[in-house]
């Protein structure tokens, strides 16, 4: 694997991660260096996949729930241990592409933060549960509680509220 494909210090949230393609994705992400939360409707499959991720030396969080249940999905994100940076957006979004360099610069070297990129869209339940209306929106959570929010950052100083909320 090339260094460019490494995901060290990153976290991934894989829905349907207990079996089939979802499980393969979870294991590949772990191989690339990411810690992985495995969300699956079958708790035993989520735990089994999480054990395989741990065998690769990565942290894993098995979560039982139905991805179609917005309350369960939100509870899973709120239960994530430590400090979480949720980044709502879409790969094709011009505002997201502009924000990407300053977000990456802020997150580089911050292994203490779980960074979850959420491919959001109209009517998607997770973004709606956080009241996201514009992309990108970055939200810092700790113990399920929002500590900071920034919408459409374009320069490093726009992320000062995020920095302040995550000062070690």
């Amino acid at each position: 694997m090339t260094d460019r494909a490494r995901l060290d210090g990153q976290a991934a949230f894989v829905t349907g991660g207990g079996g089939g393609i979802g499980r393969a994705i979870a294991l590949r992400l772990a191989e690339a260096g990411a810690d992985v939360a495995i969300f699956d409707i079958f708790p035993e499959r989520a735990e089994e996949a999480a054990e395989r991720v741990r065998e690769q030396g990565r942290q894993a969080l098995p979560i039982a729930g139905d991805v179609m249940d917005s309350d369960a999905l939100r509870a899973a994100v709120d239960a994530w241990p430590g400090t979480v940076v949720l980044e709502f957006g879409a790969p094709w979004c011009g505002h997201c592409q502009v924000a990407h360099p300053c977000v990456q610069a802020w997150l580089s070297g911050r292994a203490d933060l779980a960074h979850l990129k959420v491919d959001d869209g109209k009517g998607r339940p997770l973004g709606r549960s956080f009241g996201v209306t514009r992309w990108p929106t970055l939200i810092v959570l700790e113990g399920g509680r929002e500590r900071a929010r920034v919408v459409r950052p374009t320069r490093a100083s726009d992320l000062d509220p995020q920095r302040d909320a995550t000062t070690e």
Side-chain angles (χ1 to χ4, degrees), residues 83-103:
T83 304
V84 178
V85 177
L86 293 172
E87 181 180 352
F88 291 92
W92 51 263
C93 165
H95 295 288
C96 300
Q97 293 167 6
V98 167
H100 183 76
C102 64
V103 172

Side-chain angles (χ1 to χ4, degrees), residues 86-140:
L86 293 172
E87 181 180 352
F88 291 92
W92 51 263
C93 165
H95 295 288
C96 300
Q97 293 167 6
V98 167
H100 183 76
C102 64
V103 172
Q104 287 307 113
W106 167 54
L107 291 170
S108 68
R110 292 298 309 264
D112 59 314
L113 302 176
H115 175 218
L116 301 177
K117 289 187 83 161
V118 181
D119 190 3
D120 199 25
K122 185 175 181 142
R124 296 266 175 99
L126 192 57
R128 290 185 72 170
S129 76
F130 282 99
V132 173
T133 58
R134 295 187 299 164
W135 300 332
T137 295
L138 285 92
I139 299 172
V140 174

Side-chain angles (χ1 to χ4, degrees), residues 18-49:
I21 293 170
R23 181 185 183 124
I25 290 169
L27 295 174
R28 183 68 180 101
L29 289 165
E31 182 183 319
D35 295 326
V36 184
I38 298 163
F39 191 77
D40 200 279
I41 198 164
F42 300 106
E44 63 281 356
R45 287 184 6 175
E47 182 55 54
E48 198 174 284

